[in-house]
Structure formats: C-alpha cells, structure tokens
Amino acid sequence: MRNRVSMTEAQVEYAADERGWGLAYIRLGSGKSGGLLRVGFEVCRHPALLEREVSYAALSAVCHVLRARGVRRVAIFVPDAQIVADIGERRELPAALLLPYVRLRCELNQFAEHSVAVAGDRELAARARAEVALHVAA
C-alpha cells in the first residue's frame, strides 16, 4: 500500500498599501497551533477591482513560498470568496486580472493536489493590516 502524503492546511490573510506593497501571513496546520509564515509581495493596484488584484498577488506569492518549502499537497483557505469562485468556476474576469489569473493558475498547478476555499482568520488579518499600516507610516 502506498504511503500518501497528507494535505497541508494553509490559512492565508493579507493586506496591501495603495502603492502595491503587500504582506501575507500563512498559518500552517489546523487551529492556532500551526506554524506561521510571513510573505511579502508586490501588486499593481487597480482601484476599480476592489482589492481583487491584491488577492491574486498574495495567493501567487503564498503558493510560490509553500512549494519552495516542499509542500506538494495543500488546502488553502482565503478570506476572498471571489477568488475562490474565479478559480473554481473559471468565470469571465476583468482584463486587468487575466495575467494575474494565469500566473496564479500556473502556481497552483505545480502542486500535486490543491484546493482553495473560503475561511477567514481575524487575528492574521489584523496582523497583516497593522504591519502594512506601519510600513506606510514609516
């Protein structure tokens, strides 16, 4: 019988400033006891997209870091229901999200197995927003 590698759970929260500097926090494992990773990213901001571009950039950066750490199977939980629907339903996107979508799909497809679902973590979200705010103030 083949020994199957377990699915890594990754709760992701993120924020970005108006200039495009962003920060994502990843809680690996279930519950509050999992390991915590901090990932910086950059994004080209488009106010009309209402932060959707931030979700794409953050998730792409997170996937890249997880694969670099040797994760092969991952269940990613994000606060943005739109990105989950974009990925799952392959629906029509604004032109400004086409390239970020392709980049994200390429990142996700490099995992042996992946899923993306909606879930939020207020503590991680507050941490990301606070650190981005401090970066802006500095």
Side-chain angles (χ1 to χ4, degrees):
M1 191 167 140
R2 207 158 98 189
N3 186 9
R4 193 166 177 172
V5 176
S6 64
M7 191 84 118
T8 299
E9 290 185 7
Q11 174 66 53
V12 179
E13 293 285 348
Y14 43 84
D17 67 19
E18 293 305 314
R19 289 178 286 179
W21 182 83
L23 182 67
Y25 277 100
I26 312 162
R27 186 180 314 279
L28 295 174
S30 58
K32 303 279 186 207
S33 61
L36 194 62
L37 298 175
R38 181 181 173 276
V39 178
F41 64 91
E42 291 183 13
V43 59
C44 181
R45 298 303 306 262
H46 298 278
L49 293 176
L50 305 173
E51 304 262 331
R52 285 175 78 187
E53 75 280 17
V54 175
S55 296
Y56 277 87
L59 192 50
S60 292
V62 164
C63 289
H64 183 79
V65 166
L66 291 176
R67 278 194 348 279
R69 293 178 59 88
V71 173
R72 299 290 304 138
R73 300 177 68 239
V74 65
I76 301 172
F77 300 95
V78 295
D80 184 354
Q82 282 191 310
I83 196 169
V84 173
D86 291 349
I87 293 167
E89 299 170 16
R90 292 188 167 98
R91 56 193 191 167
E92 194 170 324
L93 297 171
L97 286 179
L98 293 178
L99 187 54
Y101 174 83
V102 170
R103 283 186 188 125
L104 176 57
R105 291 302 303 192
C106 288
E107 290 287 347
L108 287 168
N109 288 336
Q110 291 181 52
F111 290 108
E113 184 179 351
H114 72 272
S115 66
V116 182
V118 178
D121 182 313
R122 288 184 183 164
E123 177 192 338
L124 285 184
R127 187 180 286 198
R129 283 192 306 271
E131 191 161 343
V132 166
L134 285 172
H135 180 263
V136 170

